[in-house]
Amino acid sequence: MMLYSQLISLFLHVAFVWGTELTFELSDNEKQCFYEELEKGVKFDIDYQVIAGGNYDVDCFATDPHNNQLYNERRRQYDSFSNITALKGVYQVCFSNEFSTFTNKIVYLDFRHGGEQPLLPDMTQGTALTQLESSCVAIHEVLKVAAESQTWNRLREAQDRMRAEHLLERVTYWSIGETVLLFVIGLGQVMMLKSFFGEKKGPVAAST
Amino acid sequence: MAAVRMKPCAVSLLLLNLFYGFASPLYFHIGETEKKCFIEEIPDETMIIGNYRTQLYDRQKEEYLPATQGLGMFVEVKDPDDKVILSRQYGSEGRFTFTSHTPGEHQICLHSNSSKFALFAGGMLRVHLDIQVGEHANNYAEIAAKDKLTELQLRVRQLVEQVDQVQKEQNYQRYREERFRQTSESTNQRVLWWSIVQTLILVAIGIWQMRHLKSFFEAKKLDLWRLKHAGGIFIVAAPPCGGPFHPNRSLPPPLDDAQWLLSYVWMF
């Protein structure tokens, strides 16, 4: 019995927050919305970042079930937004690339909501944790922070790497293009000059 | 003792978790022929579990039906080398799993493949999607039941999984940094070589142009000289070689640079 109650008490604080991370491509002149049904009084966080495309910016806005704007930003590269829901219903987060005429954007979205969900959903409130359990919880929280910071680094690195690859591509195409252009212009100038003299020969012979 | 006590618990926990595992993920709308793709950048040997649920909009009731028969979703997963590692059709509700073998950007694409097109009739499909990566994909209730772990052991197991994930991510970071460095060095080299080659090309073309035009104008000068002697035309730009024209002279002497430039000006 003791053991059983101990086991029950151990179920406390063994938890993770509910969240979804999505990386998607937003075409030019496109708007993409994500919806989530939330209860009242729930804390939710939205992180987004533009990883690739054009000027690395996107419009983002979030609305509550009654279509009130909770967050509205234009042409941001990354941002973080947090709120506690005032009513129950469907909350919406939209990204818009409508200001762009021909560049696609790749956007990363992290939508976290909810309180701490238990690791094993057989939770009862009450008894305190032993020292061992507290250490476990502390390590778990620190590792969560480490994982989040790794995600952040990964996204920044992906953005820089894509920029560098794009630059390499542009340098290559420009080099090839300019070689061709140089030869064309070099030959073209000579041809044109020769053609000028071809016409002038007649009038010069006829005058005086 | 604890194991025996946990058994009935475990089954109910399993059921609860399975239900709970799909509580209320994010959803979005997708058109009939539209293909929605999501990118997951993951290290190798990482498991990804995706759960989705679709709902069709009913025009008469003006709401989304809870479940529709005959509605399927085609799921396609590509690895960083653009090789397809998963390509299957699932029903209106499904769950797909795959493990990455190469680190990098994996692409998960979904598009609807309904067998009854009449159902759609220009409406939108609502797709609930939930993608869990790496450590988050672990079902701890299942692990606890299978390995018969106490709660403390389960916590420690979770920590071990988390640390594993952090380590994999760090290895991946090293690999990506190397790729980045290679790209930068490649760019640097190409810019350097291109500057040198461009200068050489410009100089070469310049020299060729001058020589070609010089021989062209000399030939032109010869033509005019012949024309003059054939038709008796007085040409102002006489070759200043120190003497009047002699009809029986076969060729004008070759011009030096200043002279042919002058004759070029006079010809206009």
Side-chain angles (χ1 to χ4, degrees):
Chain A
M1 199 56 208
M2 256 289 258
L3 195 62
Y4 193 74
S5 63
Q6 258 183 2
L7 280 172
I8 295 283
S9 66
L10 283 177
F11 285 17
L12 286 171
H13 294 290
V14 182
F16 62 88
V17 182
W18 200 256
T20 314
E21 280 179 0
L22 289 173
T23 309
F24 58 94
E25 187 165 346
L26 206 55
S27 307
D28 48 309
N29 288 322
E30 194 191 324
K31 189 169 98 157
Q32 175 74 39
C33 289
F34 293 95
Y35 310 84
E36 175 88 53
E37 177 132 7
L38 296 172
E39 300 287 324
K40 181 176 167 177
V42 162
K43 182 167 185 286
F44 66 93
D45 305 277
I46 298 170
D47 288 330
Y48 67 93
Q49 220 184 106
V50 182
I51 305 178
N55 277 329
Y56 298 83
D57 52 4
V58 76
D59 293 344
C60 175
F61 63 90
T63 55
D64 74 353
H66 292 318
N67 266 330
N68 302 324
Q69 284 222 336
L70 299 172
Y71 173 81
N72 188 2
E73 287 289 335
R74 301 221 163 272
R75 308 188 74 145
R76 292 292 296 259
Q77 202 260 306
Y78 65 88
D79 205 3
S80 215
F81 163 69
S82 191
N83 205 341
I84 299 181
T85 57
L87 19 98
K88 175 178 165 160
V90 174
Y91 285 75
Q92 158 183 324
V93 177
C94 289
F95 294 94
S96 165
N97 197 21
E98 281 153 345
F99 57 84
S100 170
T101 33
F102 55 85
T103 45
N104 294 356
K105 305 272 162 69
I106 296 184
V107 180
Y108 162 84
L109 166 69
D110 184 12
F111 192 113
R112 288 187 306 277
H113 70 94
E116 293 288 317
Q117 307 297 341
L119 190 58
L120 292 173
D122 190 9
M123 193 184 82
T124 51
Q125 293 293 330
T127 47
L129 305 169
T130 69
Q131 220 175 21
L132 208 50
E133 290 142 35
S134 310
S135 312
C136 280
V137 168
I139 297 175
H140 175 71
E141 293 297 321
V142 167
L143 282 175
K144 269 198 328 204
V145 171
E148 244 176 71
S149 131
Q150 277 192 325
T151 303
W152 180 258
N153 275 338
R154 189 188 73 219
L155 292 170
R156 301 301 291 169
E157 190 273 340
Q159 192 196 332
D160 292 338
R161 188 169 28 95
M162 287 196 192
R163 228 193 262 255
E165 284 174 359
H166 195 209
L167 182 65
L168 178 65
E169 208 182 294
R170 278 188 291 185
V171 163
T172 310
Y173 286 144
W174 174 240
S175 314
I176 296 171
E178 209 182 325
T179 314
V180 169
L181 202 64
L182 275 175
F183 280 118
V184 163
I185 287 182
L187 285 166
Q189 278 181 331
V190 168
M191 299 288 185
M192 274 194 72
L193 271 173
K194 283 165 97 164
S195 74
F196 284 154
F197 285 103
E199 288 153 20
K200 288 282 188 200
K201 189 178 168 184
V204 167
S207 65
T208 58
Chain B
M1 185 75 140
V4 171
R5 278 191 195 278
M6 272 190 80
K7 221 174 175 181
C9 246
V11 175
S12 56
L13 287 178
L14 210 70
L15 288 170
L16 268 171
N17 211 343
L18 274 173
F19 166 74
Y20 201 67
F22 204 61
S24 173
L26 220 56
Y27 66 82
F28 54 92
H29 296 129
I30 188 174
E32 184 172 339
T33 49
E34 212 183 324
K35 190 173 186 178
K36 266 272 175 280
C37 289
F38 297 97
I39 300 166
E40 288 292 332
E41 197 175 348
I42 44 174
D44 58 349
E45 307 307 324
T46 304
M47 185 164 75
I48 289 195
I49 296 181
N51 289 299
Y52 76 87
R53 185 161 64 95
T54 56
Q55 285 180 309
L56 188 61
Y57 189 66
D58 189 342
R59 280 180 186 270
Q60 284 115 10
K61 291 187 200 164
E62 286 198 354
E63 62 169 20
Y64 281 86
L65 303 171
T68 320
Q69 290 300 319
L71 208 57
M73 289 292 274
F74 195 79
V75 177
E76 192 181 45
V77 178
K78 286 197 192 149
D79 76 348
D81 305 319
D82 257 345
K83 202 177 64 168
V84 176
I85 54 179
L86 177 72
S87 175
R88 263 191 65 181
Q89 182 164 342
Y90 295 85
S92 70
E93 199 171 316
R95 176 192 165 108
F96 55 91
T97 309
F98 67 93
T99 306
S100 62
H101 296 295
T102 39
E105 284 185 358
H106 290 70
Q107 211 179 41
I108 302 169
C109 288
L110 300 163
H111 67 266
S112 75
N113 193 356
S114 75
S115 54
K116 298 176 192 168
F117 290 114
L119 278 177
F120 253 110
M124 296 292 266
L125 195 65
R126 178 180 284 184
V127 181
H128 297 252
L129 182 65
D130 175 39
I131 299 178
Q132 298 295 326
V133 177
E135 185 264 327
H136 298 287
N138 285 335
N139 188 342
Y140 288 104
E142 215 176 284
I143 295 173
K146 190 167 68 111
D147 297 340
K148 300 189 178 39
L149 302 172
T150 67
E151 195 42 42
L152 188 60
Q153 286 173 331
L154 189 66
R155 274 187 204 266
V156 171
R157 180 64 177 271
Q158 188 192 30
L159 293 177
V160 165
E161 298 285 337
Q162 270 190 302
V163 165
D164 238 353
Q165 193 66 28
V166 166
Q167 188 199 19
K168 273 189 214 162
E169 193 73 42
Q170 283 192 324
N171 280 340
Y172 180 38
Q173 171 76 1
R174 200 184 305 171
Y175 160 83
R176 277 195 321 261
E177 191 273 335
E178 196 181 312
R179 241 186 80 183
F180 188 6
R181 195 166 13 102
Q182 273 175 5
T183 306
S184 297
E185 283 179 1
S186 198
T187 306
N188 186 26
Q189 253 192 4
R190 281 184 202 187
V191 165
L192 182 68
W193 279 116
W194 168 240
S195 318
I196 294 172
V197 166
Q198 185 186 35
T199 315
L200 289 173
I201 289 181
L202 275 173
V203 167
I205 284 191
I207 292 175
W208 174 81
Q209 276 186 329
M210 290 300 196
R211 283 177 47 187
H212 189 84
L213 282 174
K214 180 172 173 181
S215 63
F216 171 68
F217 284 128
E218 281 181 355
K220 270 276 174 274
K221 192 75 195 140
L222 168 66
D223 287 342
L224 278 171
W225 187 88
R226 284 197 184 133
L227 212 64
K228 179 216 167 194
H229 281 270
I233 302 160
F234 180 69
I235 299 177
V236 179
C241 57
F245 275 115
H246 293 288
N248 39 5
R249 228 193 328 193
S250 52
L251 276 173
L255 310 169
D256 68 20
D257 290 323
Q259 286 169 344
W260 76 255
L261 201 58
L262 197 66
S263 66
Y264 156 70
V265 171
W266 277 109
M267 268 185 224
F268 276 109

